Amino acid sequence: MSRIGRAPILIPAGVTVSVGADNLVLVNGPKGSLSRKISSEMKISIEDGVLTVARPSDDKIHRSLHGLSRTLINNMVVGVTNGFTKNLEISGVGYRAAKQGKNLNLSLGYSHPVIIAPPEGITLDAPTANSITVHGIDKELVGAVAANIRNARTVGAYRSKDNKDRGIKYFGEVIRHKEGKAGAKGKK
């Protein structure tokens, strides 16, 4: 059996989980509510504040859905209790971020500022000029928004020594710099 799939999910106080028709899981908590349709083949049961996910057989598709279903439900429970945060850092001369209402205003060396508008349920913040915080209750959406911000100006692996760390990267991310093509060195 899947070690992840068979692990029980403890439902904390203040969180309610309900399973509707076609395995539509609804999770309500102090930070909000999330819903997601889980594969109808998975068996979801709630007993004494513990949610378990079981699979009907040992077929390959059921084994792969088992751990996925449990992880998706666990992420919803963690999201409505604690929320999820992604931190990004900006490096480069003149590169900075500023909060402008709900939007994020990025100066990234282009001829125009890059304005990022957060979707529903996401909060963007710029605690300092060179850091960005993305916060929300949906883990998937937080990651997608953070990746979208990072794509505004990524740190390139092939950039020269002078410009190697210009751009936006996740906090603590290590970029391996690669040597460029040798070209026609030594040819006559």
Side-chain angles (χ1 to χ4, degrees), residues 142-163:
V142 168
V145 170
N148 186 28
I149 292 171
R150 184 175 179 265
N151 285 339
R153 176 74 89 175
T154 59
V155 177
Y158 288 104
R159 293 213 173 129
S160 67
K161 289 181 181 179
D162 304 341
N163 303 326

Side-chain angles (χ1 to χ4, degrees), residues 1-2 41-43 53-59 62-63 66:
M1 284 195 85
S2 168
E41 297 174 351
M42 294 294 113
K43 298 171 188 168
V53 179
R55 63 179 181 224
S57 70
D58 277 341
D59 291 343
H62 292 148
R63 285 183 291 160
H66 190 202

